[in-house]
Amino acid sequence: MSAASGAGGSSPLFYTVAEAARILRVDAATVYRAIRENAFPAVRLRTRYVVPARAVEELAEQAAASGEVVDVARLAADRRNAREVRRLAGGAPW
């Protein structure tokens, strides 16, 4: 299976940071900064990051459905808060 194909070979499961930045039409440094600030979802594999294709697609869907600005930093903060609530309630940290 090539790096660009998913399980079915039709679309990728992950994008490189450069690919995600190109799709979002931002500089790769912007994506890296958001990842490091835990404001954008990514998977770290040793020294590299990959971005779930689903995360990029969901951002686009949210923006299109709501007709409003999707604030990735707010989404990340909401996720962190939800994790903290689960942790304090005795649930799993993820």
Side-chain angles (χ1 to χ4, degrees), residues 26-94:
V26 298
D27 191 77
T30 301
V31 177
Y32 277 116
R33 193 169 34 255
I35 290 169
R36 283 192 302 272
E37 294 170 356
N38 200 24
F40 196 79
V43 175
R44 184 174 178 175
L45 301 170
R46 292 189 171 227
T47 60
R48 292 190 50 146
Y49 291 102
V50 291
V51 176
R54 184 171 161 211
V56 175
E57 294 162 5
E58 286 178 4
L59 288 174
E61 288 172 12
Q62 286 179 15
S66 70
E68 299 175 356
V69 172
V70 175
D71 185 351
V72 178
R74 191 188 77 224
L75 294 173
D78 291 346
R79 283 195 311 268
R80 282 192 301 272
N81 290 337
R83 274 196 307 262
E84 184 66 12
V85 166
R86 283 193 305 272
R87 187 186 68 78
L88 291 173
W94 303 100

Side-chain angles (χ1 to χ4, degrees), residues 4-15:
S5 66
S10 59
S11 62
L13 293 175
F14 292 94
Y15 294 121

